[in-house]
Amino acid sequence: MMNATLSEKNVYEDFELESDVLYFRIGSFGLVSFHGRNYNIKKRMTADEIKQLTQEKSFYQVNSHCYINIGKIKSIAGGVIYFGAEYSESKQVPVPRRKQYVIQQLFMQRTIDSELRITP
């Protein structure tokens, strides 16, 4: 039984950016707050690590300190991005109207790309 526990992934220590993180916020002094489905993790990062993080293709900058994972969006409505099925229960991020259109286009393109992907 103990081996099964050890082999499970510890999300708090070794999460994968694209598959586990819904969005992240960059705070002061290199503190980055990662938001997943059931957790928030704060991690101190160097300027180089933050620069690399903000250049990830899967993430889009919605304001000066918040980046969303385009692949994790479930819906966009009324200036809010929802990451879950239920509006009231899901994590959400407000988005400026001027960026909402761009995000919708990226979201739609990603959906089309994933549907066109041929699996062997």
Side-chain angles (χ1 to χ4, degrees):
M1 188 71 163
M2 193 167 144
N3 287 343
T5 307
L6 291 175
S7 66
E8 287 180 17
K9 187 169 108 175
N10 182 349
V11 171
Y12 296 100
E13 291 177 13
D14 56 346
F15 59 89
E16 290 183 34
L17 191 61
E18 190 172 345
S19 62
D20 297 334
V21 175
L22 302 175
Y23 62 96
F24 64 87
R25 295 182 190 274
I26 300 172
S28 54
F29 307 111
L31 194 62
V32 180
S33 179
F34 295 94
H35 298 262
R37 225 171 57 107
N38 299 324
Y39 63 85
N40 298 335
I41 300 170
K42 290 188 178 182
K43 203 172 175 183
R44 193 157 307 282
M45 300 180 85
T46 66
D48 286 340
E49 288 172 324
I50 290 172
K51 183 179 178 185
Q52 186 176 3
L53 183 65
T54 58
Q55 293 175 345
E56 283 287 328
K57 291 182 298 197
S58 307
F59 287 83
Y60 181 78
Q61 185 175 9
V62 292
N63 61 40
S64 61
H65 63 277
C66 184
Y67 293 75
I68 58 165
N69 187 340
I70 298 293
K72 297 293 183 180
I73 296 172
K74 295 295 182 203
S75 63
I76 304 169
V80 179
I81 295 171
Y82 296 94
F83 294 100
E86 296 290 325
Y87 292 128
S88 61
E89 295 177 17
S90 74
K91 288 208 175 183
Q92 52 194 352
V93 173
V95 60
R97 291 252 184 243
R98 60 186 166 74
K99 295 221 174 185
Q100 185 173 333
Y101 178 76
V102 175
I103 293 167
Q104 284 174 320
Q105 296 304 308
L106 292 168
F107 175 65
M108 294 300 287
Q109 187 59 50
R110 189 157 184 118
T111 303
I112 291 166
D113 290 347
S114 66
E115 287 173 2
L116 294 176
R117 218 171 269 141
I118 299 170
T119 55

